[in-house]
Amino acid sequence: MSRFDGKVAIITGAASGIGKEIALRFAAEGGTPVIADLKLDAADAAAREIKANGSDALAVGMDVADEAAVEKGIADTMTKYGRIDVLVSNAGIQIVKPIVEFPFADWKRLLAVHLDGAFLTTRACLKHMYAAKSGSIVYTGSVHSKLASVLRAPYVTAKHGLVGLCRLVAKEGAPYNVRANVVCPGFVRTPLVDELIPEQAEKLGISEEEVIKQVMLKDTVDGEFTTTEDVAEAVLFFAGFKTNALTGQSLVVSHGWFME
Ligand code: NAD
């Protein structure tokens, strides 16, 4: 008997990076991941990879900032599986610029993906979790849920906001046996970060190597990147925790970059 036998998890942004690793691990432990991503082709490829390993998986094209698309994706999941045990609200983007130059449209786009996306997917899944009197929601926060770094005005704002949303959901969800928690990773080498390194090097006028050593990993205890496996482990710990003893919490997984 595996930890997630018979369970269904909707994981947003699961066509790539951290979300994909969570989907692979959830499936490896008996569960069925629903890979909800803007990029349907990549989501399909991830679902095929999971099916090739002998598990079930569903790919759903979804812009998490689009109310109708979220409602449809969750409804399609319910039609197919009849249950949603876990939501991992993970889809995210990054845009780096000094705040004085930050275009309002970019600010709004980033907040929409991270915060509207978390709200819309939470609301849509909670209806089914409340009916089942059971559920677990995990948000992918960041060390930037706890501190600020330059050039990331909307990202830092959104990631702090997820901690507040998680606490609210922990309180409103408790009577229905629904928990909410946040995992806060340090820097992980995913496509999101690989794009960021040259951009940040240019904006700060330093080399890519210096961005990695002197900016991204400077305050870690060992100069190491966090891995997708590290983050997935923490997410599945929260997802599989069975009682309200562990709710409304955030866990930093960052090689000691941020300690609390
Ligand atoms: P990634 O770029 O590898 O994956 C993000 C996925 O989200 C992509 O598949 C993308 O298509 C999808 N996506 C983007 N916008 C979407 C939308 N509107 N609707 C649905 N899907 C959308 O990035 P990642 O590094 O795996 O990031 C995943 C999460 O982890 C993000 O919330 C990010 O902020 C967070 N995070 C990443 C790091 C890091 O260092 N990589 C650190 C801390 C937190």
Side-chain angles (χ1 to χ4, degrees):
M1 176 91 183
S2 298
R3 185 164 43 153
F4 297 112
D5 273 350
K7 307 273 189 205
V8 173
I10 299 205
I11 304 158
T12 68
S16 171
I18 292 169
K20 184 176 172 191
E21 185 68 35
I22 296 165
L24 288 165
R25 292 285 306 275
F26 187 74
E29 295 204 41
T32 300
V34 176
I35 295 154
D37 204 286
L38 199 56
K39 296 180 184 156
L40 182 56
D41 285 356
D44 269 329
R48 276 199 303 277
E49 194 178 324
I50 289 165
K51 286 180 177 165
N53 293 336
S55 303
D56 192 12
L58 177 69
V60 170
M62 178 195 288
D63 176 353
V64 294
D66 176 338
E67 184 176 16
V70 171
E71 291 292 329
K72 182 172 185 314
I74 304 303
D76 288 351
T77 300
M78 284 302 291
T79 302
K80 175 135 197 214
Y81 296 115
R83 61 188 299 155
I84 297 169
D85 301 280
V86 175
L87 165 66
V88 184
S89 170
N90 166 81
I93 57 171
Q94 179 61 284
I95 306 171
V96 289
K97 288 183 180 98
I99 189 166
V100 289
E101 291 168 18
F102 228 100
F104 190 31
D106 285 354
W107 163 271
K108 284 198 278 199
R109 185 159 67 93
L110 194 144
L111 290 188
V113 175
H114 289 264
L115 289 181
D116 296 359
F119 163 68
L120 290 171
T121 52
T122 296
R123 190 183 62 177
C125 289
L126 277 182
K127 286 176 195 150
H128 304 293
M129 291 176 172
Y130 282 6
K133 288 250 171 180
S134 174
S136 180
I137 298 182
V138 186
Y139 299 97
T140 304
S142 165
V143 165
H144 291 107
S145 299
K146 306 283 178 175
L147 54 72
S149 300
V150 295
L151 308 177
R152 289 170 169 75
Y155 190 81
V156 168
T157 304
K159 291 301 191 188
H160 276 68
L162 289 178
V163 174
L165 178 64
C166 153
R167 290 175 177 158
L168 177 288
V169 174
K171 291 200 170 184
E172 290 196 8
Y176 303 93
N177 194 30
V178 174
R179 288 164 286 291
N181 293 286
V182 187
V183 171
C184 299
F187 282 104
V188 183
R189 284 305 292 259
T190 64
L192 182 144
V193 163
D194 285 337
E195 272 177 37
L196 199 62
I197 293 169
E199 278 179 48
Q200 209 158 343
E202 196 195 320
K203 290 206 171 65
L204 296 173
I206 56 179
S207 72
E208 294 188 17
E209 195 59 23
E210 285 168 329
V211 168
I212 293 172
K213 290 210 164 114
Q214 293 169 22
V215 180
M216 292 184 163
L217 304 179
K218 178 170 73 72
D219 293 322
T220 60
V221 294
D222 52 9
E224 298 280 342
F225 276 102
T226 299
T227 65
T228 56
E229 290 85 356
D230 297 326
V231 181
E233 184 76 32
V235 168
L236 294 190
F237 174 70
F238 276 137
F241 203 87
K242 289 192 169 49
T243 74
N244 284 345
L246 192 63
T247 194
Q249 304 305 309
S250 51
L251 181 64
V252 182
V253 184
S254 71
H255 284 257
W257 167 15
F258 181 81
M259 299 186 187
E260 59 183 356

